[in-house]
Amino acid sequence: MRRAIALAAAIAVVAGCGNPGGDLIAIEEHGGPAGAQRLVVTDDGRGSCNGGELKRLPSERLLEAREAERNLQGLPGKDRLDFGRLPGRTIYTARMRGAEVTWSEGARQPPVLPKTTLLALKLRNELCPAIAGAAP
């Protein structure tokens, strides 16, 4: 019995080696002071800015991304939701497996969207240092 458990555990470890996680959530920003960028968080806790190198994220950021993905997936409606775009404001589009949500900074929106906007700002600061340093 112990051998069977040890063998199963070894197979699970080997199967997980070198298998990068898929994308958990991708957030695109357009029209803001930092320009356009695409921020991606993977299931295994890494992130990238504009298709650059994947970097390890703090566990807190991964938890925030998972919460945002879960809450955005839970919004009532279709698989593509648009909460409006205000002129002169940053427009965000979050893409997850089977769903896409677009909103604008300052537009009327469900509470999950300002939290996702904050997540995007944190990710930009952590993953896109050149962009974050150029923002006012």
Side-chain angles (χ1 to χ4, degrees):
M1 181 67 147
R2 288 183 186 174
R3 285 184 185 169
I5 292 172
L7 179 60
I11 290 171
V13 167
V14 171
C17 289
N19 184 12
D23 291 353
L24 175 67
I25 188 170
I27 304 171
E28 294 177 6
E29 298 179 324
H30 300 279
Q37 59 264 340
R38 184 169 196 265
L39 307 159
V40 176
V41 176
T42 63
D43 281 326
D44 65 354
R46 297 179 298 160
S48 70
C49 176
N50 296 326
E53 181 182 342
L54 286 170
K55 300 175 186 174
R56 179 70 47 201
L57 292 170
S59 58
E60 177 184 345
R61 205 68 60 241
L62 178 59
L63 292 173
E64 290 171 343
R66 286 185 176 151
E67 179 183 12
E69 185 266 345
R70 184 176 52 253
N71 289 335
L72 290 169
Q73 292 275 17
L75 287 172
K78 305 172 190 168
D79 53 354
R80 285 186 171 213
L81 296 171
D82 192 327
F83 289 94
R85 302 158 197 240
L86 296 176
R89 299 292 183 101
T90 304
I91 297 168
Y92 297 90
T93 300
R95 291 186 173 86
M96 297 117 336
R97 292 177 196 105
E100 180 177 297
V101 181
T102 300
W103 70 99
S104 176
E105 230 173 28
R108 184 177 207 106
Q109 52 198 241
V112 66
L113 296 180
K115 288 181 181 180
T116 307
T117 300
L118 181 58
L119 170 63
L121 296 173
K122 290 176 182 178
L123 289 169
R124 183 184 344 132
N125 285 333
E126 292 168 353
L127 299 171
C128 315
I131 294 171

